[in-house]
Structures are given as structure tokens and as C-alpha cells.
Amino acid sequence: MADYIPFVNNDADYQYARAFYSDATTVRLLLPALRPQPQDERYGKPQAWVDAGLDGYHCLLTGRKTFEAWNQYAAQFEENGILADPTFVRRPSYERLRTFVFSVLDHCMTFQPVWLTVPQLPMIEDTTRNRVNRELAKATGEWRTKNNFGGRLILPLVFTHQNQLKGRTQWRNKIVNAERCYSNAGATAFWIVDSDLDDQKCRAAFNNRFRALVAFHEDLKASQPKAAVISGPYWGMNIVLWARGLCDHPAVSMGTGYKYMITGAFAKKAKKFHVALPPLRRWAIASPELKIWLDDVIRRLSPDDSTRREFERLRHDVASRLRNKNAAKEQVARSYHEWFTRIQSISPVGRTLALYQDLSSAYVLGKQLPKLPKSEAPGREAGKVAEQLMLHCL
């Protein structure tokens, strides 16, 4: 079995998960997107991880709107409004929380999961959600005992702003509270993700952010050495953390995104789509400008260079097949799988070095190539994504 965990948010994601990630340890299914028929063969995978998608309450608590479909979904649970009430969140009633948690988890069990996400609110800068998260975890533990649930409970640590992972001063209290929630629920794994991080954007601040993300995982691993850790989804930092032994399961997206979106939150609708550039360990927007860039790259590389042949195939695909959004998504999902499989084929003790060398080769290649189209700003340097990830492999 492979270590990665596909994050499936819709039917299209599920198709790519089946096509490229069928050997995964488990697949994370988002409950609001699941059809009500538990017998549906799409969701019959024995190792299904069901997540109730309750982080959408973060939007309501911070004055943001959620999709009407998510609102209707949440309305089915008993006491469904309590986590949208800031006064209740600050001074929660355990009995009402217990009713809510039992309602949510009972519905999750309709899909016969082997893994379940512990209901939690995402992280914020202060401590006002600490108590309610402990109580939610306690209610989960009570539900687990009452229902004799023998599967894994996953405690989510969803960060919502980069400042929350700026340094140990910011995250010390969060780790302490997470440990209490972990114990209260009887969880056996943490799922950690910075929803504010899009690690392909090549921001100047990423060197510090990546370093801090590594340090946070080191601190959590030191405090809970027996706990399994899931990290991501990201584009590359999930693989870096996994190769370094700081997470057991890198969460991966299915051809789009490669960052975590709060469930139910509104986001800018993407008008463009991406294709993977495998030799550079990154992606780029599929566009006529990219085709021109590929022509330039091919002219610069030797006819005997195997990398040139990869770019020639990509140039052909961009000009034909990859003009279709679904075909582009499939190409990204396949390329990402091939990259991960290449690193996983190395023994665990050698993965950090193997990933460093893999990214180093992509960086060196990128230094020889022209800048990518303006649509890739601020990451127009072809090897920049690989360079920023490479620096945190060892």
C-alpha cells in the first residue's frame, strides 16, 4: 500500500483517485459531497476516511458566507446552529455539543468508514476555541465508546492564517490543547494542514514559512511520538515532510488545487487550468503563451537530451489534448502520482536525499531555461518551486 491519502471532494476527484491512487492506505471522502446511498459502489472502499466537513463553521464565525448547499447539509444535524454562535463557542454547553456530535458521527457511519475525523473548529490566533474543541473531542470519545467504534479517529489541526505557525510562541498553546483533544477523543492520528499555504506561489516569505512548518511537525512528533500524522494537501511540502519522517501520510489533491480549502467557503472560480511540468516538479497555466515557452525550451535543449523529449511530448499535448480541462486535470494527477511513486520506491532512510537530488535536478534544469509566462508571477523562474522545496529536504 502507498502512504499517500487522496482527498476526494467530488465525483471527478473520485475517478482520478480510482485511476491513479487505488493503492492508497485510505481515501478521504468529504461527507457533504457524498450521495445518500451508502450501498453506492463508489464509496465501498474498505478503508474509507469520512470527514464531516464541519470546518465550514469557521466561515460563519468570521462573518463569511458559505455555499447554500453546505448550509442545507449542516441543517440536517441536531443542534446544528450552535457552532455558528460566537457566544456559545466561548461558553459551550456540553450536553448540546454532545447531541450535535452524536448526530454528525451517526450520519458519517452511514457510509461505513474505517477512519473518522473528530469534529473540531479550525485554528485562530487566540484561545477562544480551545474549550469548545476539547468538549467536541470529549463528546467524540463518548460516542466512540457507546458505539464501540473500532476504527481510527483523526484529530484535525486546520490552521487558517500563516501567523499561527510563525513560531513556537504562536503554536505552543495549540499543541498543548491539541494533546488534550487527542486524549479526550481517543484519537490515533493528527491531520495537520495550513489552509493559508499555496506552496507553488513562490512567495519570498516561503523560506521562513516552510522552515516553521517543519519545526511545528517536529514539535508535535516529539510530544506525541506514537501518533500517526497526515499532512496537507500541498504541492510539495507534504512530500518533504513525509520524506523526512515528520508525517506518515501525505494528503494529495486530485489534479487541481494542491492546497486545502475550508469546506463550504466561497472561492474565486478558476477561469484557467494548469498542466504539470514534470521535469521541473511544478505546474503552469495551460495557455498559448505556455506553448510558445515550450517551443523556446525545446530549441535550447540538445536533441539527445531525454528532458527535451519530455518537453516535446508536453508541447504536443498542450497543443492538442490538454486544451481540455478534464484532460489537463488527469495529466496533473498522473504526473504527481509518478513523482511520488519515484520517491517512495527509495528505502525510507534514503528518501530525504533522493528527494533533495530530485528537486535539485529540477532546479538546475530550470536555471538553464527562460522565464515562464507572466501569468506565473511571482514564480516565473522555471526552477523556483523546486529550489524553495529543495532547501527544506535535509
Side-chain angles (χ1 to χ4, degrees):
M1 301 293 285
D3 290 338
Y4 45 58
I5 296 179
F7 268 41
V8 171
N9 299 320
N10 50 52
D11 288 346
D13 285 352
Y14 190 82
Q15 297 309 313
Y16 296 120
R18 281 210 324 190
F20 305 117
Y21 297 91
S22 60
D23 59 344
T25 300
T26 185
V27 57
R28 184 240 191 204
L29 304 172
L30 189 60
L31 185 60
L34 300 185
R35 292 179 182 175
Q37 300 88 357
Q39 69 273 21
D40 191 322
E41 64 178 9
R42 296 177 310 155
Y43 310 127
K45 185 177 176 62
Q47 294 294 322
W49 167 16
V50 171
D51 187 299
L54 300 180
D55 48 359
Y57 280 105
H58 171 73
C59 300
L60 301 179
L61 288 167
T62 54
R64 296 163 59 191
K65 292 184 178 180
T66 49
F67 282 111
E68 184 57 32
W70 186 88
N71 297 335
Q72 293 176 4
Y73 155 78
Q76 70 184 301
F77 303 123
E78 295 182 61
E79 297 285 9
N80 60 80
I82 55 177
L83 293 186
D85 180 356
T87 301
F88 179 90
V89 168
R90 286 192 296 270
R91 293 186 295 276
S93 159
Y94 179 73
E95 288 305 315
R96 295 183 71 186
L97 280 175
R98 181 184 181 277
T99 298
F100 174 73
V101 167
F102 273 54
S103 179
V104 169
L105 296 181
D106 285 345
H107 190 69
C108 288
M109 288 304 294
T110 305
F111 295 89
Q112 301 177 326
V114 176
W115 294 15
L116 275 174
T117 302
V118 178
Q120 294 280 279
L121 290 174
M123 301 289 179
I124 55 176
E125 280 74 8
D126 61 32
T127 61
T128 54
R129 295 183 183 177
N130 285 4
R131 180 183 170 189
V132 73
N133 277 338
R134 291 195 300 270
E135 300 281 80
L136 285 165
K138 179 182 175 182
T140 301
E142 188 177 341
W143 175 90
R144 175 181 58 84
T145 300
K146 181 178 180 180
N147 291 275
N148 196 30
F149 179 68
R152 302 194 78 166
L153 289 172
I154 316 300
L155 186 79
L157 304 180
V158 178
F159 293 90
T160 57
H161 194 277
Q162 62 180 5
N163 287 345
Q164 297 157 11
L165 287 168
K166 195 172 183 179
R168 287 184 173 88
T169 300
Q170 287 75 23
W171 71 59
R172 185 182 296 112
N173 177 270
K174 291 176 171 48
I175 287 183
V176 171
N177 198 64
E179 290 173 333
R180 293 180 65 181
C181 293
Y182 184 85
S183 176
N184 287 352
T188 57
F190 292 96
W191 163 39
I192 306 164
V193 65
D194 179 357
S195 65
D196 195 33
L197 178 61
D198 190 347
D199 61 345
Q200 281 209 76
K201 291 293 187 183
C202 298
R203 305 293 185 193
F206 276 4
N207 186 46
N208 290 333
R209 290 189 67 178
F210 290 175
R211 184 186 299 112
L213 186 62
V214 168
F216 176 82
H217 279 75
E218 288 174 336
D219 282 3
L220 185 66
K221 201 75 171 175
S223 68
Q224 293 288 328
K226 294 183 180 180
V229 174
I230 302 150
S231 185
Y234 308 116
W235 174 263
M237 280 307 294
N238 50 345
I239 299 180
V240 169
L241 292 163
W242 166 77
R244 293 185 60 162
L246 297 175
C247 86
D248 303 274
H249 303 290
V252 298
S253 299
M254 297 291 100
T256 56
Y258 293 91
K259 65 168 294 186
Y260 183 69
M261 290 293 299
I262 297 292
T263 309
F266 281 90
K268 291 181 180 179
K269 193 167 184 180
K271 296 180 180 179
K272 300 177 181 178
F273 51 91
H274 294 83
V275 296
L277 306 179
L280 296 171
R281 299 300 183 229
R282 64 175 296 165
W283 69 7
I285 293 172
S287 65
E289 291 76 20
L290 181 64
K291 188 173 69 171
I292 294 170
W293 180 84
L294 287 166
D295 287 338
D296 192 6
V297 167
I298 291 166
R299 283 194 297 269
R300 293 177 183 229
L301 296 175
S302 166
D304 299 326
D305 192 331
S306 61
T307 303
R308 171 175 170 155
R309 291 191 288 275
E310 287 190 71
F311 281 119
E312 286 175 335
R313 286 192 294 271
L314 185 58
R315 165 65 174 76
H316 176 268
D317 285 344
V318 168
S320 55
R321 187 172 64 89
L322 297 185
R323 289 182 295 180
N324 176 279
K325 182 177 181 178
N326 291 333
K329 183 176 179 180
E330 178 182 339
Q331 184 260 355
V332 174
R334 176 185 285 111
S335 299
Y336 195 90
H337 176 263
E338 290 172 353
W339 179 27
F340 183 90
T341 300
R342 176 175 178 175
I343 304 304
Q344 184 165 257
S345 68
I346 309 298
S347 65
V349 295
R351 283 177 185 158
T352 52
L353 180 58
L355 182 60
Y356 176 84
Q357 292 173 334
D358 180 87
L359 291 168
S360 178
S361 296
Y363 165 64
V364 171
L365 171 64
K367 292 291 284 184
Q368 306 171 42
L369 303 181
K371 287 187 175 182
L372 283 155
K374 292 180 179 179
S375 57
E376 299 306 316
R380 293 186 63 195
E381 293 181 26
K384 193 64 177 177
V385 172
E387 178 190 15
Q388 289 188 322
L389 294 171
M390 172 188 74
L391 295 174
H392 301 277
C393 285
L394 301 176

